[in-house]
């Protein structure tokens, strides 16, 4: 045994852990590889929103029709997450991650060559299929490799790729799309995904699936009430962010009087808020998981309600948009909670987290649009968001009561045995 450690002269001096396969693994390089995959997915998911006019013109449809490609991708995420997680339950983790990212890369390259409206929708649907399963499995791998007491932070680092994409990847891809045409943006995303494949192959250990893993066992997650409660918190409580963000551009212009040229700056603040929230939320979750979830739902309700007042002035609106971005902090906490309550059906439960978030996207955007269409004004989306956060708190309260009732039911037979023993 050496008397002193070697000098720190390379990147390999980052935190290293030993994987369950007993192979030394560089933890930071592993989560970086997982995060690059998340960066590719986040860029591919959000960049199309800023290129709809170009897409509509090129494939000769209206802008609302072009928007269907966003819905097609989201539908792919919702369907693909549970289906692929169940079917691939017995796959080795690294092979599954590489396969999912390769499919995502191929989908983006194919989307760049889509000849028309129908083919583009079908290809965006297919490209969304690996999204939820990738993040679910990546979160499981990161949590497995994490040092003690840092599971949520490890998941947060993986999610940092997704949130960081809104700050860096989406603007670059949008710029390329404006300069060379919208198809160039998808080529850019495909190239990032190929880089992620190479990093995953190099830096992720060849982890075996859990012993006895099978599609039927994964489906067992759907029999657990706490899994459904946690998914409900995400699908409802997280919808508030999307109710506001889906209409943020016209609200800032019409209500706050923000010049069109200032919109990208405020959107960058939203991305910065997401990155900040992701980092802070994951640290809080490692300290106290359930308090973090409950506290963040209260925080989200307050911040979203504030938007209805803050949106009338440019400076306060910009600050509030940053704060709304930070509500993504609940993501890593819900991911860890699903891992804790899923028992031996980890893969499906972890993947379903992203199905829930996409349902939150659809629900929040729909209710926010309904409020505007009803004549309640652009700022009404803030109240819609606050109500959704409060509804998420209601689901959270039901989850706590159910968990306590289950604990009492399990404790009662033991108490009876103890009483009988003392009586004897």
């Amino acid at each position: 045994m050496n008397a002193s450690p070697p000098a720190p002269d390379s990147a390999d001096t980052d935190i290293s852990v030993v994987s369950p396969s007993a192979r030394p693994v560089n933890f930071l390089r592993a989560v970086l590889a997982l995060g690059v995959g998340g960066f590719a997915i986040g860029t591919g998911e959000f960049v199309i929103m800023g290129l709809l006019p170009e897409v509509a013109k090129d494939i000769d449809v209206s802008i609302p029709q072009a928007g269907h490609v966003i819905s097609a991708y989201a539908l792919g995420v919702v369907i693909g997450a549970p289906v692929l997680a169940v079917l691939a339950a017995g796959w080795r983790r690294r092979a599954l991650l590489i396969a999912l990212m390769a499919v995502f890369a191929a989908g983006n390259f194919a989307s760049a060559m889509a000849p028309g409206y129908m083919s583009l929708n079908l290809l965006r649907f297919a490209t969304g299929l690996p999204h939820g399963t990738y993040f679910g499995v990546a979160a499981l791998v990161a949590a497995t490799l994490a040092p003690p007491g840092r599971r949520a932070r490890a998941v947060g680092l993986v999610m940092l790729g997704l949130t960081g994409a809104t700050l860096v990847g989406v603007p670059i891809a949008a710029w390329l799309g404006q300069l060379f045409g919208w198809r160039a943006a998808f080529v850019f995303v495909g190239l990032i995904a190929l880089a992620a494949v190479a990093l995953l192959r190099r830096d992720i250990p060849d982890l075996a699936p859990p012993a006895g893993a099978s599609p039927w066992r994964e489906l067992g997650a759907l029999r657990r009430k706490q899994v459904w409660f946690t998914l409900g918190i995400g699908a409802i409580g997280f919808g508030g962010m999307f109710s506001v963000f889906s209409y943020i551009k016209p609200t800032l212009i019409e209500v706050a009087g923000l010049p069109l040229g200032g919109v990208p700056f405020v959107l960058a603040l939203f991305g910065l808020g997401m990155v900040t929230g992701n980092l802070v939320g994951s640290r809080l979750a490692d300290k106290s998981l359930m308090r973090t979830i409950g506290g963040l739902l209260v925080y989200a309700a307050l911040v979203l309600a504030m938007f209805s007042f803050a949106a009338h002035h440019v400076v306060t609106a910009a600050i509030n948009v940053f704060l709304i971005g930070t509500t993504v902090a609940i993501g890593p906490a819900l991911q860890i909670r699903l891992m804790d309550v899923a028992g031996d059906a980890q893969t499906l439960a972890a993947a379903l987290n992203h199905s829930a978030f996409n349902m939150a996207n659809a629900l929040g955007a729909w209710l926010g649009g309904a409020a505007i269409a009803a004549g309640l004004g652009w700022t009404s989306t803030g109240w819609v968001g606050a109500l959704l956060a409060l509804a998420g708190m209601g689901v959270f309260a039901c989850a706590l009561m159910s968990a306590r009732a289950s604990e009492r039911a399990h404790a009662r037979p033991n108490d009876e045995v103890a009483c009988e023993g003392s009586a004897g």
Side-chain angles (χ1 to χ4, degrees):
M1 189 171 182
N2 294 334
S4 61
D9 57 358
S10 72
D12 289 335
T13 57
D14 292 337
I15 298 171
S16 293
V17 297
V18 177
S19 76
S21 61
R23 169 187 166 184
V25 177
N26 185 291
F27 171 65
L28 293 182
R29 282 176 56 173
V31 294
L32 175 63
L34 296 168
V36 170
F39 184 83
I41 291 177
T43 303
E45 180 180 16
F46 292 111
V47 69
I48 190 66
M49 297 176 185
L51 295 173
L52 284 182
E54 289 80 4
V55 173
K57 183 178 179 180
D58 187 50
I59 62 177
D60 195 25
V61 297
S62 67
I63 291 178
Q65 282 179 303
H68 294 165
V69 302
I70 299 174
S71 301
Y73 182 93
L75 183 62
V77 177
V78 172
I79 294 175
V83 171
L84 294 180
V86 169
L87 293 178
W91 283 42
R92 300 185 75 83
R93 299 306 196 194
R94 183 174 65 184
L96 178 55
L97 289 168
I98 290 173
L100 293 168
M101 190 50 54
V103 170
F104 182 78
N108 279 284
F109 287 132
S111 297
M113 297 184 289
Y117 170 78
M118 185 58 68
S119 60
L120 182 58
N121 274 279
L122 290 173
L123 287 167
R124 294 316 292 164
F125 171 80
T127 306
L129 292 174
H131 178 131
T133 307
Y134 176 85
F135 276 114
V137 176
L140 291 173
V141 170
T144 298
L145 300 177
R150 293 183 60 181
R151 286 195 309 155
R153 271 173 279 186
V155 172
L157 288 173
V158 175
M159 295 297 294
L160 189 61
L162 177 62
T163 55
T166 63
L167 190 61
V168 179
V170 171
I172 293 175
W175 173 74
L176 290 172
Q178 297 284 355
L179 196 62
F180 300 108
W182 64 271
R183 298 175 189 271
F186 285 132
V187 172
F188 175 66
V189 173
L191 292 173
I192 301 173
L194 288 182
V197 167
L199 292 174
L200 291 168
R201 189 174 185 277
R202 186 190 70 180
D203 296 326
I204 301 300
D206 188 21
L207 299 175
S214 70
W216 290 114
R217 195 172 80 173
E218 289 297 328
L219 288 170
L222 302 180
R223 295 195 300 267
R224 298 174 180 269
K225 286 193 295 184
Q226 287 299 323
V227 168
W228 287 107
F229 281 131
T230 308
L231 293 173
I233 294 169
I236 299 172
F238 197 52
M241 188 189 82
F242 295 104
S243 69
V244 172
F245 186 67
S246 297
Y247 306 97
I248 194 66
K249 182 176 178 179
T251 304
L252 291 173
I253 293 173
E254 298 295 331
V255 179
L258 181 72
L260 183 61
V263 172
F265 171 75
V266 177
L267 295 183
L269 284 178
F270 178 80
L272 184 61
M274 291 183 73
V275 172
T276 304
N278 187 66
L279 293 173
V280 174
S282 58
R283 286 181 173 272
L284 292 174
D286 273 332
K287 294 180 179 179
S288 180
L289 183 61
M290 297 304 284
R291 288 182 181 178
T292 296
I293 294 173
L296 286 172
L297 288 168
V298 174
Y299 170 75
L302 293 174
V303 167
L304 290 162
M306 283 170 52
F307 181 75
S308 297
F309 305 100
H312 292 278
H313 304 281
V314 171
V315 174
T316 54
I319 294 171
N320 191 243
V321 167
F322 169 83
L323 294 175
I324 290 173
T326 63
T327 61
V328 79
I330 200 171
L334 291 177
Q335 189 77 71
I336 292 296
R337 175 62 177 168
L338 279 170
M339 294 179 193
D340 289 346
V341 300
D344 54 7
Q346 295 275 306
T347 306
L348 176 60
L352 283 173
N353 195 36
H354 293 272
S355 290
F357 285 158
N358 275 268
M359 292 177 68
N361 189 343
L363 179 65
W366 174 61
L367 290 176
I372 295 169
L376 299 179
W378 293 107
T379 60
S380 63
T381 59
W383 293 116
V384 172
L387 289 173
L388 284 171
L390 290 173
M393 290 172 59
V395 179
F396 177 71
C398 290
L400 288 179
M401 289 187 291
S402 177
R404 287 168 183 166
S406 179
E407 288 173 2
R408 287 195 297 268
H410 282 90
R412 193 172 297 118
N414 294 332
D415 293 340
E416 291 172 357
V417 169
C419 291
E420 289 173 3
S422 60

